[in-house]
Amino acid sequence: MPGTRLPPDIAAAVALGSEAGRTFAEFNWDDHPLGPVAEWPDALRTVVTVALASRFPVVLWLGDDLTMVYNDGYIPMLADKHPQAMGMPGLDVWWEIRDIIEPMLAGVVETGVATWSDDLLLMLVDRGRPWERYFTFTYSPIFLHEGKVGGVFCAVFETTERVVGERRLQVLNTLGAALVDAKSVDETLSATVKMCAEQPADLPFVALYLEDGTGGQTLRASTPNVSVLLESAAPSAQFWGARAVDEAGGRVIDDLQERLPGLADVWRQGGPERALVMPLTDPSSTVAVGTAVIGLNPHRPLDDQYQGFCRLLADQIIAGITSAGAYEAERARAESLAELDRAKTLFLTNVSHELRTPLTLILGPAEDALALGDDPELRELLQVVARNGRRLLRLVNSLLDFARIEAGRASTQLVETDVGELTADIASAFGDICRRAGLDLVIDCKPAVGQVDPYMWETIVFNLLSNAFKFTFDGSISVQVAAGPDGTISMSVSDTGVGIPEGELARVFERFYRPLNVEGRSMEGSGIGLALVQNLVELHGGSISVTSRPGAGTTFTVTVPAMSHTHVHTAHTRPSRARRDSIYVTEAAQWLEGASGEVVGDALSAASVDRLPDRPIVLVADDNTDLRAHLERIIGSRWSTVSASDGQQALELIRRIEPDLVIADVMMPKLDGFELIKAIRADPRLESIPVMILSARAGLEATGEGFEAGADDYILKPFKSTELLNRVAARLKVAIRDQDRREREQLEVARAAVLVELGSQLSAATTEAEIVTRLLGPALSALAMDAVAIGVVQEGGDLLRMTYGGSLAPVLLDLYHTISVDAPVPMAKAVRTARSMVVPDTMQLDETYAAVVSDAAGSVRAIVVEPLVAADGVVAGALCLMWAAPREFSDAEVDLFKEIAGITARALERVRRAERDRRVAVALQDRLLDWGAHSMAAAISTTYRPASDIMRVGGDWYTITALGDTGKIALSVGDVVGHGLPAAMVMSELRSALAVAALAAGQPGEVLDLLEDYARQVPGASCTTAAYVLVDPAEGTVRYACAGHPYPVLVTSSGDVRLLEDGRRAALAVGSSLRTDSDRRQHVTQGLAPLEPGSLLVLYTDGLIERRGESIDSGFDRLVDAARTCAAKPVGEVCAYLLSALAGHGGYDDDVALVAFRPCGSTSTSFVDAFASQVSEIPGVRSRLRTWLEAQHVDAEVAYEVLVCVGEAVANAAEHGNRFDPNKTVTLEVFLSNGDITATVTDAGRWDADSADTRRLASRGRGLTLIHGLCDDVVVDRNPLGTRVTTRHRMGSRVRGTA
Amino acid sequence: MKAQFAIEEVSALQAAAPELRVLDVRGEIDTTNAEDFEAVITERASSGVVVLDLTSIGYCDSAAFAALDRIIGRGGVAVAMGPENPVHRAATLMGLRFHDSVEMAATALGG
């Protein structure tokens, strides 16, 4: 008995039961140089006692040969060296790091001075291989009583996870920063490999392959150490078998060095032996665009952390490539736009020159002819020619000016002049026309001598005035000139017109910019007036600005320097009176006449138009007076005409008269040609009226736009009179035939409208259930479907998960909540064959489908099934439209179904992508969070819900730990400050520390003490909050402590809510000083509360109750209110209910972790039981439940119904849900309230049974039929974590009283 | 653990129909023992016609009804259950072919 030879102090430490203690005790010390333990110096015995009793990793180096003694905490560092290391000379144990530690130990022994090492890298050998590990430790001397150093005490803490984690995070951050500036894909790739080359520890080498357009992937960049080798040996990703890489975790190449001879030579030793091949997948299209090959550090295990790091690296690279690609495309676009601009300018110059010659030859003879002729009719025609010729000349001149300026060939002829006087003179030309239009023209021009080019200045002023006049219908236009204080002259033109919307302001000086949706006197204009003005002002060395308020008016302000340094003509020009006839003024006058053209329309009442059978009515709408008169002349020769001067007026007339044909100009004030067509087509009375569009805008695009808008014909200006007559005649002749065509088109349009509406409806859907609901919504109401189902192929590809909507028998939803892809069910067939099925009567389906046809016969008799094909061509699922009665389907409907399926497939893809993102976030957390022990002592439900912004996932945790055989259960929730990977890493460390502390320490206060100590060692753990609750079901109590965490909530079975407010302490690791033991004792406070049977305990993180801009107290109030209604809710429903009841408008800003706990036991209103998921448990559960029901005097019939429902649900859970893991727990919660019994069976399985297995389906169908038939209400809630079946039984009069 | 049932042969109709046996079934039949039950009854019915009297049965679940369906399907067995038993409603729901009394069941078999 070796233990008997130990002195009592050490024996006591050994008796604590540690493994190291046992090893120590069993060691034969008698034959050891140190001799029997009892003879060791007191000091050595004391430290051995301390070490063995400590939970902190401690190793002792005793005596001259530094004999090793250690405790349990140290065993993980020794790995396979334990237990041989006990009693061995320590330096022989640690031969691989002897070079490092021997001098340190010798120093301590010789000098008695302690060492401290922080995060020291020690390459420890385990399983025959050195591993990169980091330790923080101290060597301190053990003094014997004579003052001699008799050994070394070493407290050590492994920091590998943190050091490596921080290093990797640093790599990711550095890469992120490096890629921000990358402007091309090449830059991205080279920045990536450059950065990776600086991180040889985690990235011994990196190679990046990208799609080369031929279907392959070519090596585009690699770290310099391997670039030569890879370019010759692995120029294509095919070398790595990259095509076979699955999306999630990448693939490990294990035979790297055999595969790549010569690779090992790159490193002198310790080169990578394995590589990870990761696909670079574009997240927006989920298409792999490349491959990253990452060499792996042979001294680090490829664990989740390493793999996750590589995944994040790949994600960052792909994000860099994607955004760099976008940048390149943007730059190319800008360049091509500039090129296009230059081409436009050149074109304008050429065209303008070419136009001026024939124009001159039109104007000259026309004016001559005017002078000669006396015939008034002829004079009128000639005046039209001359007026419009001059207008055209002005436009051409403007264009030419403009083009000259653009080409840099314009120069100013500056003349010293009084700009005020000049401006006033120019502006006064508009006096008369403003009076006629009822506008005040205010001219306020102070003398201001400066140098301007008078011709250009005139152009500037006229353009601004003409512009103001065009858009001002009442009020005033004012022109002001004043000399500025700083040697400038400013001229402004203000109006009280319609104004310019703010969004358009920035664009008014753009070439060819025309305001949209702005009412003006005319839509005429080239759109270059203001651009020209700006160029002219800039030629003067000045600037122009604009301010405007819609509905209030616009002010343009031109500022030019008074004196120029360039050559100045001294001549003082007098403004010429010819300006009165300026074409600008003439043009403006025409707009006025056009407006008064309303008289034409007003004069024509419906009654006044004679509808002669042989004389159809043609309505002409054009804002140009001349053109309108011209058209009336031509058309009037054969048909009756009515004319309108703008679109609005035209529409009113059309409604009143219903003409046989409409000829409309494209550009008209108030309502342009296209809008007019739209209005006509939208009016069922008018839609068949043919509309011909007149436009000067040539080109296929413009024509196309015209037809697209619904024009029947499109006539280009200029046109010949005969051509117009022919086309109008032809159009009128085929009007009847057209009507048929239009009716068909109408159907098409209606169909398109339906699809557009459906598309917009579905694009807002965020879940499959919403898609189904919207398919049944108003968009497709014409189809009168009774139900819709969507089946989505699950991962693995052999199962369809179904979502139903509409009226279907509830039992059908349960029977077919999943469908095997191989099942004899139409939707499965559609998925297998990618073909649709149209079934006017399900009874006509062949024998194969007999089962499903008869199951559904009650609610489904006609179906259409369409495969849902994703963008990549893969069948992602199937859509089933259902009708309760047989019906026929027209060809048009069959086409429509295909379109519906296409839209649904796109919506589904969006939904699934969003779901996947969310799932990734939750999966990350799930992996980190413990789902907890499936205790048989309580019903427990846990929820983790990521914040609305999924990137904020991270810091929340919960744990559930059954404490051995004591029956006690430890619950904790906590919240680490921050989000993302760093918080998740800290969370993971703290959570595991907490689980260990829960096992080691007894009381909540002590557990949080241990956690506090630990948190101080973990960077980033500061300010973490945590609540820890120890439940003792046998005693009926909870003991708890909270470190800065919101209060846990206790709800009794009668609905009293209590916040657990005792046991408070500060958040973890706050402040820097280490606390002393006496401090600590003060902190060991904890709360105690009774936990009656049937009570509910809720733990949560602050995300649940915090809302922006609200006090935390109102959050608690909301929680207490919500919790009050949870007394008779099963725990799973409690979690779901609290999450939905406490969500703010935009969901949750922060993550929420939630634990709901209800101990097993029964009261007069509740019965809670938990048991293993095995069929053999059923009789026992039934017996317990029966006893309880009888004690509550529940009527025998109701009792039987409850027992059967519960029994069937448990059988389902046991047979199907949990069949892969019989150790899972099933919980049963039954409540009696308001004369209702609700029974909830919760399991951790999914009932994902294979429906093709007809025998099992048949038996399960019976069970479901029983459940549905024997209760008043059944709710089945399935989610990835389990299934919850709740049945409600109304006792009503059947209850026998409660004697 | 399995649910428990007990079968007792009663002689109520011995005089009227000597070749017919009446088995009074009590206890519980569920998914854990339905196959046992089926085997026992099939064995008992192999040598003559049998009326199963479920009037005092304590519990039947869907597996029990499935077993009864198969037993009846093989012929020679009729089931009797009075409307006062809570199981009655479930049996009706499951479409079990049963009779309200042992006499009626016997008549059905005797035809």
Side-chain angles (χ1 to χ4, degrees), chain A residues 1175-1180 1182 1186 1196-1197 1200-1201 1203-1204 1207-1208 1211 1215 1255 1259 1262-1263 1265-1266 1269-1271 1294, chain B residues 1-3 28-32 35 58-63 65-66 69-70 85-91 93-94:
Chain A
V1175 174
S1176 60
E1177 294 282 334
I1178 294 175
R1182 188 163 60 235
R1186 191 197 300 273
E1197 192 174 336
Y1200 170 72
E1201 288 165 11
L1203 290 172
V1204 170
E1208 297 292 345
E1215 285 174 13
R1255 203 179 88 84
S1259 73
R1262 281 170 170 279
T1265 308
L1266 266 186
L1270 292 182
C1271 66
R1294 291 185 288 187
Chain B
M1 183 173 141
K2 284 185 179 183
E28 301 184 326
I29 308 169
D30 73 359
T31 182
T32 62
E35 284 182 16
Y59 181 85
C60 281
D61 74 352
S62 62
F65 291 118
D69 266 353
R70 289 193 294 272
N85 191 309
V87 181
H88 189 271
R89 187 172 160 215
L93 202 65
M94 290 276 84

Side-chain angles (χ1 to χ4, degrees), chain A residues 276-292:
Chain A
L276 191 61
V277 182
M278 309 282 294
L280 296 173
T281 307
D282 182 349
S284 64
S285 61
T286 69
V287 172
V289 299
T291 302

Side-chain angles (χ1 to χ4, degrees), chain A residues 115-381:
Chain A
T115 66
W116 175 267
S117 304
D118 228 351
D119 296 339
L120 186 69
L121 167 64
L122 297 174
M123 300 293 291
L124 301 190
V125 174
D126 180 20
R127 285 158 287 151
R129 170 191 288 280
W131 297 94
E132 177 190 1
R133 295 169 73 176
Y134 295 85
F135 297 91
T136 291
F137 60 94
T138 168
Y139 285 149
S140 35
I142 304 168
F143 291 107
L144 302 180
H145 65 273
E146 61 267 36
K148 178 173 163 264
V149 175
V152 175
F153 180 97
C154 169
V156 56
F157 192 69
E158 176 155 14
T159 55
T160 311
E161 288 293 305
R162 179 177 58 71
V163 172
V164 173
E166 281 179 356
R167 182 176 76 203
R168 288 173 180 165
L169 216 52
Q170 184 63 33
V171 171
L172 294 174
N173 288 341
T174 314
L175 180 62
L179 294 188
V180 165
D181 296 329
K183 298 202 175 12
S184 68
V185 172
D186 282 329
E187 274 182 55
T188 302
L189 296 175
S190 63
T192 302
V193 294
K194 180 165 176 282
M195 199 284 308
C196 291
E198 291 161 8
Q199 309 293 340
D202 288 310
L203 304 167
F205 76 87
V206 170
L208 302 172
Y209 296 81
L210 284 193
E211 285 284 347
D212 52 18
T214 68
Q217 297 182 357
T218 309
L219 178 65
R220 291 284 295 271
S222 58
T223 43
N225 52 359
V226 294
S227 55
V228 176
L229 180 65
L230 290 185
E231 271 158 28
S232 63
S236 148
Q238 224 169 358
F239 176 84
W240 305 98
R243 283 274 161 218
V245 172
D246 74 315
E247 194 188 304
R251 193 160 43 83
V252 179
I253 304 285
D254 280 313
D255 54 349
L256 184 64
Q257 297 201 345
E258 292 89 88
R259 213 185 259 232
L260 262 181
L263 182 78
D265 305 337
V266 174
W267 287 266
R268 230 171 307 162
Q269 55 174 20
E273 293 160 18
R274 300 197 293 169
L276 191 61
V277 182
M278 309 282 294
L280 296 173
T281 307
D282 182 349
S284 64
S285 61
T286 69
V287 172
V289 299
T291 302
V293 180
I294 300 168
L296 296 173
N297 179 346
H299 305 302
R300 289 296 312 155
L302 182 62
D303 51 11
D304 282 357
Q305 202 208 43
Y306 203 168
Q307 204 141 8
F309 162 72
C310 291
R311 179 72 259 161
L312 288 173
L313 188 81
D315 285 352
Q316 237 173 356
I317 295 171
I318 188 67
I321 289 173
T322 318
S323 65
Y327 181 89
E328 276 179 278
E330 191 54 39
R331 196 178 53 194
R333 198 174 143 259
E335 274 169 10
S336 68
L337 277 179
E339 179 54 41
L340 193 64
D341 246 20
R342 283 191 289 279
K344 267 194 222 162
T345 302
L346 185 67
F347 171 76
L348 282 179
T349 315
N350 293 341
V351 166
S352 304
H353 273 294
E354 291 299 318
L355 285 176
R356 286 218 302 186
T357 313
L359 264 176
T360 314
L361 290 174
I362 292 169
L363 272 177
E367 310 236 334
D368 289 350
L370 264 176
L372 292 174
D374 292 331
D375 182 348
E377 208 169 317
L378 190 64
R379 277 188 67 87
E380 199 190 322
L381 287 175

Side-chain angles (χ1 to χ4, degrees), chain A residues 2-4 6-26 48-49 51-54 72:
Chain A
T4 55
L6 293 178
D9 46 358
I10 293 186
V14 166
L16 289 174
S18 71
E19 185 184 335
R22 200 172 55 246
T23 313
F24 178 88
E26 286 166 0
V48 168
T49 308
L52 290 180
S54 169
D72 272 11

Side-chain angles (χ1 to χ4, degrees), chain A residues 475-499:
Chain A
S476 63
I477 297 173
S478 45
V479 182
Q480 290 172 309
V481 172
D486 46 354
T488 60
I489 296 173
S490 72
M491 186 271 291
S492 64
V493 177
S494 312
D495 65 56
T496 57
V498 293

Side-chain angles (χ1 to χ4, degrees), chain A residues 770-815:
Chain A
E770 274 178 38
I771 294 181
V772 166
T773 310
R774 283 154 201 245
L775 282 167
L776 286 165
L780 297 180
S781 56
L783 291 173
M785 296 172 294
D786 293 302
V788 167
I790 287 179
V792 179
V793 179
Q794 297 304 98
E795 268 169 54
D798 52 0
L799 213 57
L800 291 178
R801 193 184 72 233
M802 303 297 302
T803 307
Y804 295 95
S807 46
L808 285 172
V811 68
L812 204 60
L813 312 190
D814 282 336
L815 277 176

